[in-house]
Amino acid sequence: MIALQQFIADVRRETDAALDRLIPTSQTEPTRLHSAIRWSVFAGGKRFRPAIVFASGLTFGANWNALATAAAAFEMVHTYSLVHDDLPAMDDDDLRRGKAACHIEFGEAAAILAGDCLQTLAFEAISSDSNLSAETRTRIVSILAAASGTPNGMVAGQQMDLDAEGRRPTIKEIESIHAQKTGALITAAAAAGAVIAGAHEADLAAVRKYAEKLGLLFQITDDILDVTETTATLGKTAGKDYAAEKATYPGYLGLEETRARAGAVAEEAREALSALERDTDLLLDLVGLIRSRIT
Amino acid sequence: MIALQQFIADVRRETDAALDRLIPTSQTEPTRLHSAIRWSVFAGGKRFRPAIVFASGLTFGANWNALATAAAAFEMVHTYSLVHDDLPAMDDDDLRRGKAACHIEFGEAAAILAGDCLQTLAFEAISSDSNLSAETRTRIVSILAAASGTPNGMVAGQQMDLDAEGRRPTIKEIESIHAQKTGALITAAAAAGAVIAGAHEADLAAVRKYAEKLGLLFQITDDILDVTETTATLGKTAGKDYAAEKATYPGYLGLEETRARAGAVAEEAREALSALERDTDLLLDLVGLIRSRIT
């Protein structure tokens, strides 16, 4: 796992450098907006989506430089969704990544605008990325937009999640909500890396399948951590999704069966990689990394 | 002005058809989200930004089909900004385009998500527009993103507008806020039409200059209408910007001098067109159309 730790450190450094380059400084007017954006982006996120962009891209032969802007763009879209999710009218959470949520620190108006702008900056970054051909930029914009919008993307999943609150959703509904709310962006991150590397359609399909399972595994482990960990450890309010009767796995299957489900899904992710005639160690290691959060 | 009326009617029909095609139906899950989006998009907006995309594109020789998706994308970004602007944490307005604001009808959470999604759909539409080459799609995404984001775009202008509330901004600050909050998107709409038509750089610069003045004129007339018209006529709460001591022209110059300023800016817009060796009647007519709102 030493190689994986080095990879994760490299991902963080490359992604943060790209984010710092792509986002106006805190001293740029309007300073409140840029401070709010930077507060949220540099709050110590795991850079999990960038890691998938890089891991997928490197697996198919892309180089780090070609992947950095796309990786940062996925992180910007993810961060915008967190900033808006934490708003009082949404999940109403004061704590994010161990710090005050954006709207607590900068007020609701600036938080709404910071989220709006982070989304814009993501698409601007990709469309202006001189490392990529116009064809590739266009494809990445399409992939990112479809995964973060509606009817099959992240925001649709967030609305379905809100709609499911207070009633007991079926396991099928839970999986569908997760697949859109978090899975779509994770799958798109894997696809984006592969597209930048010029991967063939069959390889693209296999890495998408892998990432769907990885995203599901990520969500299941998140749900388990929400129940088993403390707020201090998580850096966000613990037990909250469960208490709100939101669509969670432990709420439906119980904790033990959820753990078993995590193991099965991890195996499915590994199986999807067997279709690739590539060195898939990096992608396999990511499965292990997520599994290690709950074991 | 009969030709102009026909043009405006054609713009509305083409834009609305494109919007209807690009936005999932109200029956598509999650229905609340898509209903909220359609409520806001089909609330009877003037389709002013689409009109500029079409007028600029047609002036430089593009055909209607090639312009429709980009026109709809600009309207989606404009509508998302209105939906978020009306939120309680922002301008807190209950009325928009003569109907209940999105958050009044569908709740704050759905309104936040509807705005988020409209932005995403705009970029998705452009990146998937098979009428345009990959190079053109990439350029339009860049143009739209720069104009709607930060540090020189719409959201930056909205933050500056919020920052200026309750104090008396200078006329230079007012112009700067307007140039970003409304001017940037209008200028980008003109540039997008010209780029789709394959206009040369010099022509692009001239039509940008024209659109900057047109955007300023549009904002000045909006400010005048805010003071002189009733809520029923406007379809949004009248006198509100003035009462809130927001950055408005009449608040600084008084009504008569603001009217004179509108006349001078209209003349500057017309002058910018003299650099074009084209039939600029359509673009000239748009200046007259905006002038006619206050005369």
Side-chain angles (χ1 to χ4, degrees):
Chain A
M1 294 291 259
I2 291 174
L4 181 65
Q5 283 166 20
Q6 184 62 52
F7 170 74
I8 295 295
D10 289 347
V11 164
R12 174 174 298 282
R13 194 190 57 247
E14 292 287 327
T15 303
D16 287 8
L19 289 166
D20 189 46
R21 171 173 54 77
L22 294 164
I23 300 168
T25 68
S26 302
Q27 286 77 48
T28 307
E29 292 288 348
T31 57
R32 186 175 198 80
L33 177 66
H34 299 129
S35 299
I37 291 173
R38 285 179 169 265
W39 173 270
S40 300
V41 166
F42 295 112
K46 292 183 287 289
R47 309 305 188 217
F48 179 53
R49 287 147 198 84
I52 296 170
V53 172
F54 279 112
S56 174
L58 294 171
T59 296
F60 294 104
N63 65 48
W64 282 86
N65 282 349
L67 298 162
T69 296
F74 273 84
E75 187 67 13
M76 287 197 273
V77 166
H78 172 58
T79 305
Y80 117 65
S81 78
L82 299 182
V83 170
H84 282 187
D85 248 10
D86 287 342
L87 288 168
M90 304 276 291
D91 283 358
D92 191 17
D93 217 323
D94 294 358
L95 198 64
R96 172 62 69 178
R97 292 171 169 176
K99 300 203 305 181
C102 187
H103 68 276
I104 297 294
E105 188 70 19
F106 295 94
E108 271 186 70
I112 292 167
L113 293 176
D116 288 344
C117 237
L118 269 168
Q119 180 177 184
T120 319
L121 285 168
F123 290 112
E124 189 174 11
I126 296 168
S127 68
S128 310
D129 184 0
S130 58
N131 287 298
L132 308 178
S133 70
E135 282 77 9
T136 301
R137 294 183 217 179
T138 299
R139 279 187 79 181
I140 307 294
V141 169
S142 282
I143 288 168
L144 178 57
S148 52
T150 199
N152 301 310
M154 178 181 76
V155 173
Q158 284 170 318
Q159 182 67 55
M160 290 162 67
D161 201 12
L162 289 172
D163 290 344
E165 255 177 79
R167 62 179 178 83
R168 191 175 159 81
T170 67
I171 191 75
K172 205 179 150 213
E173 282 177 302
I174 293 176
E175 298 230 332
S176 172
I177 291 169
H178 285 337
Q180 297 200 216
K181 192 179 174 184
T182 58
L185 199 60
I186 288 171
T187 304
V195 164
I196 290 171
H200 297 126
E201 285 304 318
D203 286 352
L204 203 53
V207 83
R208 272 188 180 275
K209 179 84 180 288
Y210 153 83
E212 277 168 25
K213 300 300 178 184
L214 194 74
L216 187 54
L217 177 64
F218 188 77
Q219 186 60 51
I220 295 173
T221 56
D222 240 27
D223 281 1
I224 293 174
L225 291 173
D226 179 65
V227 180
T228 59
E229 296 290 295
T230 65
T231 300
T233 319
L234 279 182
K236 60 185 174 183
T237 311
K240 182 158 178 168
D241 290 344
Y242 191 76
E245 294 191 22
K246 296 198 78 159
T248 74
Y249 281 88
Y252 192 88
L253 297 175
L255 203 50
E256 279 323 297
E257 201 173 330
T258 302
R259 284 208 173 94
R261 183 103 183 82
V265 170
E267 195 44 42
E268 290 170 358
R270 292 191 190 96
E271 272 172 28
L273 293 176
S274 64
L276 298 176
E277 293 177 356
R278 295 270 175 179
D279 177 350
T280 57
D281 282 359
L282 205 44
L283 295 171
L284 284 169
D285 281 353
L286 286 184
V287 178
L289 184 69
I290 298 174
R291 288 285 290 145
S292 71
R293 298 171 73 206
I294 54 165
T295 50
Chain B
M1 292 293 258
I2 292 173
L4 181 64
Q5 283 166 19
Q6 184 61 52
F7 170 73
I8 295 296
D10 290 346
V11 164
R12 174 174 298 283
R13 194 191 56 246
E14 292 287 327
T15 304
D16 287 8
L19 289 166
D20 189 46
R21 171 173 53 79
L22 294 163
I23 300 169
T25 67
S26 302
Q27 286 77 48
T28 308
E29 292 287 345
T31 57
R32 187 176 197 79
L33 177 66
H34 299 132
S35 299
I37 291 173
R38 284 179 170 264
W39 172 270
S40 299
V41 166
F42 295 113
K46 292 182 288 288
R47 309 303 189 218
F48 178 53
R49 287 146 197 86
I52 296 170
V53 172
F54 280 112
S56 175
L58 294 171
T59 296
F60 294 104
N63 65 47
W64 283 86
N65 282 349
L67 298 162
T69 297
F74 274 83
E75 187 67 13
M76 287 197 272
V77 167
H78 172 57
T79 305
Y80 117 65
S81 79
L82 299 181
V83 170
H84 282 187
D85 248 10
D86 288 342
L87 288 168
M90 303 277 289
D91 283 358
D92 191 16
D93 216 322
D94 294 357
L95 198 64
R96 172 63 68 178
R97 293 172 169 175
K99 299 203 304 183
C102 187
H103 67 278
I104 297 294
E105 188 70 18
F106 296 93
E108 270 185 71
I112 292 167
L113 294 176
D116 288 346
C117 236
L118 268 169
Q119 180 178 183
T120 319
L121 286 167
F123 289 112
E124 188 174 10
I126 297 169
S127 68
S128 311
D129 183 1
S130 59
N131 287 297
L132 308 178
S133 70
E135 283 77 9
T136 301
R137 294 184 217 179
T138 299
R139 277 188 79 182
I140 307 293
V141 169
S142 282
I143 288 169
L144 178 57
S148 53
T150 198
N152 300 310
M154 179 181 75
V155 173
Q158 284 170 317
Q159 182 67 55
M160 290 162 67
D161 201 13
L162 289 171
D163 290 346
E165 254 177 80
R167 64 179 178 81
R168 191 175 158 80
T170 67
I171 191 74
K172 207 179 147 212
E173 283 178 301
I174 293 176
E175 298 231 331
S176 171
I177 291 169
H178 285 335
Q180 296 199 218
K181 191 179 174 185
T182 58
L185 199 60
I186 288 171
T187 304
V195 164
I196 290 171
H200 297 125
E201 285 304 318
D203 286 350
L204 203 53
V207 83
R208 272 188 179 276
K209 179 83 181 286
Y210 153 83
E212 278 168 24
K213 299 301 177 183
L214 193 75
L216 187 54
L217 178 63
F218 188 77
Q219 186 60 51
I220 294 173
T221 57
D222 239 26
D223 281 2
I224 292 174
L225 291 172
D226 179 66
V227 180
T228 59
E229 297 291 295
T230 64
T231 300
T233 319
L234 280 181
K236 59 185 176 183
T237 311
K240 182 158 178 169
D241 290 346
Y242 191 77
E245 293 192 23
K246 296 198 78 158
T248 74
Y249 281 87
Y252 192 88
L253 296 175
L255 202 51
E256 279 321 297
E257 202 173 328
T258 302
R259 283 209 172 95
R261 184 103 182 80
V265 171
E267 196 44 43
E268 289 170 359
R270 292 191 190 97
E271 271 172 27
L273 293 176
S274 64
L276 298 176
E277 295 177 353
R278 294 269 175 182
D279 177 351
T280 57
D281 282 359
L282 205 44
L283 296 170
L284 284 169
D285 282 352
L286 286 183
V287 178
L289 183 70
I290 299 174
R291 287 286 289 145
S292 71
R293 298 171 74 206
I294 55 165
T295 51

